[in-house]
Amino acid sequence: MSPLKLRDPDAIHCHLRDVERLLSRQRLIENLVQRQPMPQHQLVEHITHRQNLARLRRKLEQLHAADIACILEALPLADRHVVWDLVRADQDGDILLEVSDAVRETLIGTMDADELRAAAKRLDADELADLAPDLPPEVMREVLEALDQEEREHVRAAMSYPEGTVGALMDFDLVQVREDVSLEVVLRYLRRFDALPDHTDKLFVVDRQAHLRGVLTLEALLINDPEVTVATVMQQKTVLSFAPEDAADGAANLFERYDLVSVPVIDSEQRVIGRLTVADVVDYLRETSEAEILNQAGLREEEDIFAPILQSLKNRWAWLAINLVTAFIASRVIGLFEGTIEKLVALAALMPIVAGIGGNAGNQTITMIVRAIAMGQVQPTALWRLLRKELGVALINGIIWGNVIGLLAWWLYDNLKLGLVMVAAMTLNLLLAATAGVTIPLIRQRFGRDPALGGSVLITALTDAGGFLIFLGLATLVLL
Amino acid sequence: MSPLKLRDPDAIHCHLRDVERLLSRQRLIENLVQRQPMPQHQLVEHITHRQNLARLRRKLEQLHAADIACILEALPLADRHVVWDLVRADQDGDILLEVSDAVRETLIGTMDADELRAAAKRLDADELADLAPDLPPEVMREVLEALDQEEREHVRAAMSYPEGTVGALMDFDLVQVREDVSLEVVLRYLRRFDALPDHTDKLFVVDRQAHLRGVLTLEALLINDPEVTVATVMQQKTVLSFAPEDAADGAANLFERYDLVSVPVIDSEQRVIGRLTVADVVDYLRETSEAEILNQAGLREEEDIFAPILQSLKNRWAWLAINLVTAFIASRVIGLFEGTIEKLVALAALMPIVAGIGGNAGNQTITMIVRAIAMGQVQPTALWRLLRKELGVALINGIIWGNVIGLLAWWLYDNLKLGLVMVAAMTLNLLLAATAGVTIPLIRQRFGRDPALGGSVLITALTDAGGFLIFLGLATLVLL
């Protein structure tokens, strides 16, 4: 036996290297075919060409859908289409689910209605609901019509919950048992399955009306005497369940806090309607943390790194435009003091330091507060305590770093007053940064908004314009 | 039955509100006791005081260790110590494992050697290894001496692997079976357990020398005829396993890509030595993505929001100092052109726009490249293709946004040449940003370094100093 090991360096890169090797050989062959028009050569190359494609196809057949998705994302468009054409049709649906939105678009663009229908038909209801927004409406309608009544309801249900709720993440793969039977009966019942749903760590115990009565963990099923009834060993008191309209963030927090694998989702009458698994939650967490990092850098969404230039521009322009507006405002603040700068040009050289350090410190504060809010550690009432602390930090930082830079300015320009203005301006801008860093997220939270959204832009804009205003204003008052 | 539901708003805040209510009543009572020195009153208050504490203790007893950890992190120091004193001693160890490093320090600081020893003794080997760095060495020595030979080996093994490896995350809770027995025998064997290890979704099939032969999923155990042997239904061909020295990042990627719950960890001779579970991986992912977000904002580590000011300063000073140095360099670049600015003071107002937009675009590029590298989508050979694309994006952005700002500058200062310098400087700085955004992470990757580390600081420093240099340099050449 040779178990698949991580130390195989290609496993972690989803076997990308093998595929790239076959693809580059493919390109080489195609170049030869084009350059050598002699018929006998053509024939030979044609065979090599087909042999190589067959080898690539065999390689792809051995791979997990998630690996193929990872390969497709890493390939430039031309190669991506070669690989996509070679993938077994019965894997199409799974792969479409795994790739990023941007790459999914490029793949669906190459498929005709028949292929899309075939791919969609192989998916579960919750998966189909995920894919639905990207499918042409007429394909989706036909696929829905081909489903049975119950499945169609499931798809409709899954699509009816907005993004960011438990309902949008849940699946419908349930194993339900009654509480009055013995474990032996449950064991016999399970042997009639060809497979259990992924991530089955517990069975849901329901009554005849599908009301949740408790959960039977596989552990309880396995370690207890088969003669006892489900009711004796099921968990009942501390069963965690979600409603489909619950926030996915909250659910993810609980999965992480209690190390959960699967949780039942129930309706308002305690009837089990679905199930949330750790796999859904991990994907969700990865996506939201990605989104957070991307947004912080001013990207709207994950980018297909091989996307055409126009698409990249679309992904990035909004943020650049906002940044230009705030930079322009800051520039106009400087404009107000052109008379002052004309008289003492050293101010122009020193002012970016004041603005920069304020933005930096403000971002430290706001990041810390936003993280603490996200983890439920901050009540809106904590405002004053946190503000007092952050102002203390800002004051000490202002005095220490302000003096360092103030001394440098004094020494460079041989102007003591300029140095003192520098110390005062840096301290005041740091105090402004701390105030904004604490109040912006807490006020947003109090009004029920996302405390993180756009905080970094806002605080940088404030400390830039504010820094210039404070520094040049003080300079005008003191130095002229 | 009333299953615990997420809609209980307090569940998601780890029941913080209940505890805070009891604590504030506690503070009220203590205030009364202090203000009213009459003996009969004191007695009454003393009783109320104790009743309230007892209520708080009962509330805490009902909570999961992870909930108490979350509450402790959300409380200011004085309240934190009140709650920590009330927690049942047998939960101490689990809670210490759950809280953040900063909060763990404050809790351990209040415990004496006996309490620490008692808490540590209740932990598993892998948990003890996690806690070890924070325990006083003499406590750790005594705890190790009290362990049996095998457990001591486990602790030593877990401590010997550096952070960021599979070995540092794995646990030692294994259920192993032989391949030549029937499933019935396995079922009988499991009934002798009081509990299965957390996240047991598969049993490890080993030979007499503990070599991994395959894995038996609980699913296979449950759906197959109990008469068949383990060998018939175990997975053998595609068993994924890790070595303890494998990188945790890679392992986490595979957990996510294949939706894994547990994976065996084997030594160089294929002997099973431990197990990695999805719970460890989720914690690891959360921690590293936290760290990434914190580092991006210039915080060294997660901060206890109620930490004393001095500790916060320590967490933040390094980044502020680096920022000051780069800001100072940029300031000196401006200093070179003081003569130019003196003659045309409008330059002082416009120059931050050039620098700012460059930093912004550079951060977009570097973030995208770093994410793509982390997901294994970028080979170092992709340098030229990516560079060409990013330069294209930068050129178009420069022409569009440069012209917008250039026109504004022309209109504001009635100086066409100034407008043209603005367009040229913005385009050039965006090209610089794109070049640096692609090359910095790819070069770091080629030399085996972390492509993400410090990239944002470096690129902002480059586009600030570079932007001032390009803009003021062009202005000196063209306008004077």
Side-chain angles (χ1 to χ4, degrees), chain A residues 241-261:
Chain A
S241 66
F242 297 129
E245 55 273 12
D246 286 337
D249 276 327
N253 269 343
L254 294 187
F255 262 83
E256 204 197 343
R257 199 184 309 146
Y258 302 134
D259 291 339
L260 302 168
V261 173

Side-chain angles (χ1 to χ4, degrees), chain B residues 47 69 124 134 178 206 229 267 279 307 339 343 356 365 373 397 441 460 465:
Chain B
I47 291 166
D124 289 339
D134 293 323
R178 297 260 183 279
V206 293
T229 63
D267 66 12
K343 287 183 198 125
T365 301
I373 290 177
N397 268 330
T460 308

Side-chain angles (χ1 to χ4, degrees), chain B residues 19-198:
Chain B
V19 173
E20 280 202 327
R21 201 161 24 77
L22 290 165
L23 276 169
S24 72
R25 195 182 303 167
Q26 192 65 18
R27 276 192 298 269
L28 200 71
I29 296 170
E30 276 164 12
N31 276 341
L32 285 175
V33 173
Q34 279 163 8
R35 265 187 271 155
Q36 310 203 350
M38 288 152 287
Q40 74 276 38
H41 265 101
Q42 257 184 5
L43 190 65
V44 175
E45 297 305 348
H46 189 64
I47 291 166
T48 331
H49 183 221
R50 290 183 51 172
Q51 279 178 340
N52 194 52
L53 277 186
R55 203 171 301 158
L56 189 51
R57 188 195 304 270
R58 271 200 307 278
K59 175 79 203 167
L60 290 171
E61 273 169 10
Q62 292 159 18
L63 295 178
H64 191 286
D67 284 326
I68 300 179
C70 161
I71 290 171
L72 289 169
E73 288 180 350
L75 291 177
L77 284 174
D79 287 346
R80 190 182 291 165
H81 291 155
V82 171
V83 169
W84 184 232
D85 284 341
L86 291 176
V87 166
R88 280 206 327 269
D90 62 353
Q91 284 195 296
D92 280 2
D94 288 331
I95 294 169
L96 286 177
L97 283 173
E98 296 275 353
V99 294
S100 69
D101 288 352
V103 172
R104 186 187 294 168
E105 243 174 71
T106 70
L107 296 179
I108 287 184
T110 69
M111 298 169 77
D112 61 28
D114 281 339
E115 288 173 312
L116 283 172
R117 227 176 357 247
K121 271 186 190 154
R122 286 196 180 81
L123 298 176
D124 289 339
D126 60 308
E127 297 171 332
L128 194 52
D130 285 347
L131 206 55
D134 293 323
L135 292 177
E138 67 278 10
V139 169
M140 196 59 208
R141 211 182 40 239
E142 287 175 46
V143 171
L144 275 179
E145 275 166 19
L147 293 178
D148 67 30
Q149 179 68 20
E150 191 193 1
E151 281 179 310
R152 198 152 49 225
E153 297 275 299
H154 283 162
V155 177
R156 293 243 166 82
M159 287 177 66
S160 70
Y161 296 107
E163 237 180 278
T165 63
V166 166
L169 296 180
M170 69 180 177
D171 67 50
F172 303 94
D173 296 335
L174 304 169
V175 182
Q176 309 188 0
V177 294
R178 297 260 183 279
E179 62 185 309
D180 52 0
V181 301
S182 71
L183 297 187
E184 181 58 46
V185 171
V186 175
L187 287 169
R188 277 209 308 273
Y189 171 61
L190 292 181
R191 284 187 201 119
R192 306 210 315 246
F193 282 73
D194 292 326
L196 296 181
D198 287 343

Side-chain angles (χ1 to χ4, degrees), chain A residues 409-430:
Chain A
W410 181 17
W411 170 69
L412 272 171
Y413 295 99
D414 196 18
N415 184 338
L416 173 60
K417 273 191 183 170
L418 180 61
L420 291 174
V421 166
M422 197 75 198
V423 180
M426 279 190 56
T427 309
L428 287 174
N429 202 28
L430 285 173

Side-chain angles (χ1 to χ4, degrees), chain A residues 94-337:
Chain A
D94 288 331
I95 294 168
L96 286 177
L97 283 172
E98 295 276 353
V99 293
S100 69
D101 288 352
V103 172
R104 186 187 294 168
E105 242 174 72
T106 70
L107 297 179
I108 287 184
T110 69
M111 297 170 79
D112 61 28
D114 281 338
E115 288 173 313
L116 284 172
R117 229 177 355 247
K121 272 184 190 154
R122 286 195 181 81
L123 299 177
D124 289 339
D126 60 308
E127 297 171 332
L128 194 53
D130 285 347
L131 206 56
D134 293 323
L135 292 176
E138 66 279 10
V139 169
M140 196 58 208
R141 212 184 37 242
E142 287 175 48
V143 172
L144 276 179
E145 275 166 19
L147 294 178
D148 68 29
Q149 178 68 22
E150 191 192 3
E151 282 177 311
R152 198 153 49 226
E153 296 276 297
H154 283 162
V155 178
R156 293 241 167 82
M159 287 177 66
S160 70
Y161 297 106
E163 238 180 278
T165 63
V166 167
L169 296 179
M170 69 179 178
D171 66 50
F172 304 94
D173 296 334
L174 305 169
V175 182
Q176 309 188 2
V177 294
R178 297 261 183 278
E179 61 185 310
D180 52 1
V181 301
S182 71
L183 297 187
E184 181 60 45
V185 171
V186 175
L187 288 169
R188 277 209 307 271
Y189 171 62
L190 292 181
R191 283 185 202 122
R192 306 210 315 245
F193 282 73
D194 293 325
L196 296 182
D198 288 342
H199 295 95
T200 297
D201 69 324
K202 53 174 73 85
L203 312 178
F204 303 136
V205 184
V206 295
D207 64 19
R208 284 178 201 283
Q209 286 76 45
H211 295 123
L212 184 65
R213 300 281 304 152
V215 297
L216 175 68
T217 61
L218 293 193
E219 179 186 40
L221 176 63
L222 287 167
I223 63 175
N224 285 296
D225 183 344
E227 302 303 316
V228 306
T229 64
V230 169
T232 345
V233 296
M234 72 182 184
Q235 281 178 26
Q236 192 170 29
K237 285 270 164 55
T238 57
V239 173
L240 182 72
S241 66
F242 297 129
E245 55 273 12
D246 286 337
D249 276 327
N253 269 343
L254 294 187
F255 262 83
E256 204 197 343
R257 199 184 309 146
Y258 302 134
D259 291 339
L260 302 168
V261 173
S262 75
V263 169
V265 180
I266 61 179
D267 65 12
S268 56
E269 284 156 39
Q270 304 229 342
R271 275 190 301 252
V272 181
I273 52 175
R275 178 184 81 124
L276 193 63
T277 68
V278 67
D280 303 322
V281 168
V282 168
D283 287 349
Y284 175 79
L285 282 179
R286 170 68 66 121
E287 265 167 39
T288 50
S289 93
E290 288 286 302
E292 195 172 347
I293 290 167
L294 293 173
N295 290 340
Q296 232 173 13
L299 297 161
R300 266 203 311 155
E301 52 183 30
E302 203 178 324
E303 212 169 278
D304 175 359
I305 52 170
F306 301 105
I309 288 177
L310 270 178
Q311 214 153 341
S312 296
L313 284 171
K314 239 173 57 191
N315 193 22
R316 308 186 197 175
W317 80 269
W319 186 277
L320 287 178
I322 293 172
N323 188 254
L324 263 184
V325 171
T326 64
F328 189 74
I329 294 171
S331 157
R332 288 299 81 213
V333 171
I334 300 173
L336 295 175
F337 296 97

Side-chain angles (χ1 to χ4, degrees), chain A residues 7, chain B residues 161 165-168 170 242-247 265-268 273:
Chain A
R7 270 163 301 180
Chain B
Y161 296 107
T165 63
V166 166
M170 69 180 177
F242 297 129
E245 57 272 12
D246 286 336
V265 180
I266 60 178
D267 66 12
S268 55
I273 52 176

